[in-house]
Amino acid sequence: MFPSDANPAGNVFGGEILKQIDIVAGIVAQRHCGTNAVTASIDRVDFLKPVFVGDLLILNARLNCIKNSSMEIEVKVESENLRSGLRTMTGTAMVTSVALDDGGKPTTVPKLLLQTEEEKKKFAEGLARMEQRSKERRREKAR
């Protein structure tokens, strides 16, 4: 991370980390669906530890769940001190992306091949979160 990514004390801006989360989640979504995909929401963002100027930012993302045109992507953020090699878990986020067809309308995405118990568990947890987000959006619209 560079000085332009941080405040005067050397702490990287949360917005810069959010930008990187959005980019990585978008890559995961587009690789899976093979079409354009856009961010519908970023929720449950937790900044656990600071990231400093000079640190390497490492993001790992996985597709947890699919529902029609929507995909939930879990992103884990680590920083690595390039001098010491010390890695620190610095944040997590859940991103919902929507696949779009060439006309910009939501389109169905390929199913997930769930092979392990962990993948099945992540899918079920993701589906519950997606359902909760849908309920919250419907409630907001009704207001």
Side-chain angles (χ1 to χ4, degrees), residues 7 28 38 42 45 50 56 60 71 73 76 78 103 135 139:
N7 67 23
V28 169
V38 295
I42 300 178
V45 178
L56 178 66
N60 290 294
M71 299 163 274
I73 298 117
K76 294 186 179 181
E78 290 180 287
K135 285 180 188 175
R139 230 178 324 187

Side-chain angles (χ1 to χ4, degrees), residues 73-129:
I73 298 117
E74 179 179 4
V75 182
K76 294 186 179 181
V77 183
E78 290 180 287
S79 66
E80 181 179 325
N81 181 302
L82 291 173
R83 289 186 177 192
S84 69
L86 177 67
R87 281 192 180 190
T88 304
M89 175 64 73
T90 60
T92 60
M94 293 293 184
V95 179
T96 302
S97 293
V98 176
L100 302 178
D101 64 18
D102 291 337
K105 301 291 183 195
T107 187
T108 304
V109 297
K111 301 289 183 211
L112 275 179
L113 179 60
L114 305 173
Q115 297 177 322
T116 68
E117 289 305 313
E118 175 73 8
E119 290 170 339
K120 292 173 186 174
K121 178 182 175 213
K122 290 279 189 181
F123 186 90
E125 292 170 349
L127 192 57
R129 283 188 296 270

Side-chain angles (χ1 to χ4, degrees), residues 29-98:
Q30 288 189 16
R31 286 179 80 186
H32 179 75
C33 67
T35 66
N36 186 27
V38 295
T39 302
S41 70
I42 300 178
D43 44 79
R44 197 54 218 209
V45 178
D46 290 307
F47 296 106
L48 306 171
K49 301 273 183 165
V51 177
F52 300 103
V53 169
D55 286 349
L56 178 66
L57 199 65
I58 302 164
L59 292 97
N60 290 294
R62 62 173 284 144
L63 195 53
N64 282 340
C65 185
I66 300 277
K67 184 179 175 193
N68 301 321
S69 61
S70 298
M71 299 163 274
E72 183 191 77
I73 298 117
E74 179 179 4
V75 182
K76 294 186 179 181
V77 183
E78 290 180 287
S79 66
E80 181 179 325
N81 181 302
L82 291 173
R83 289 186 177 192
S84 69
L86 177 67
R87 281 192 180 190
T88 304
M89 175 64 73
T90 60
T92 60
M94 293 293 184
V95 179
T96 302
S97 293
V98 176

